[in-house]
Amino acid sequence: MTTFESKKVINASPEAVYGFLSDFNNHGQLMPDSVQNWSASYNEAGFTVQNTIKLSLRITERVENKAVNITAVDNPPFPVQLNWVLEADSDKTNVTFSITAELNMMMKLVASGPLQKLADHETESLESLMRIS
């Protein structure tokens, strides 16, 4: 398994950050432009990455104000898990977003850069959105 991780300090309470992340309807706002055809419900989301890979995701666990765990479902190109971990720090929240993927050597060469960029983009977008709210 290969893990890609991004950390940010968000200027919002864990309750506010968790409230946003626990609903997949909000995650479309975190996605880069390469993600197209985003559709979501409270527990599930689907999208296409630049007309190449179609992914379906499901929130598999919510730990109130602490974590949101997501798994790729419906035959993803490789097994992947996305995890948001929240830690209170006064009136702020330390956020860690990780993408854990089972990649063979060829996929690791191709996908490592884009997956790290995705992790970084999502935490940066979350930081920006929480600043506005």
Side-chain angles (χ1 to χ4, degrees), residues 4-36:
F4 307 91
E5 189 174 271
S6 183
K7 296 181 177 191
K8 286 281 183 194
V9 176
I10 307 294
N11 195 17
S13 69
E15 294 81 8
V17 176
Y18 175 81
F20 181 89
L21 292 173
S22 66
D23 184 348
F24 246 146
N25 289 300
N26 297 324
H27 286 242
Q29 299 173 65
L30 303 177
M31 296 295 162
D33 293 338
S34 59
V35 169
Q36 301 162 342

Side-chain angles (χ1 to χ4, degrees), residues 109-120:
L109 288 171
V110 173
S112 288
L115 288 172
Q116 184 61 57
K117 284 182 184 176
L118 175 63
D120 293 338

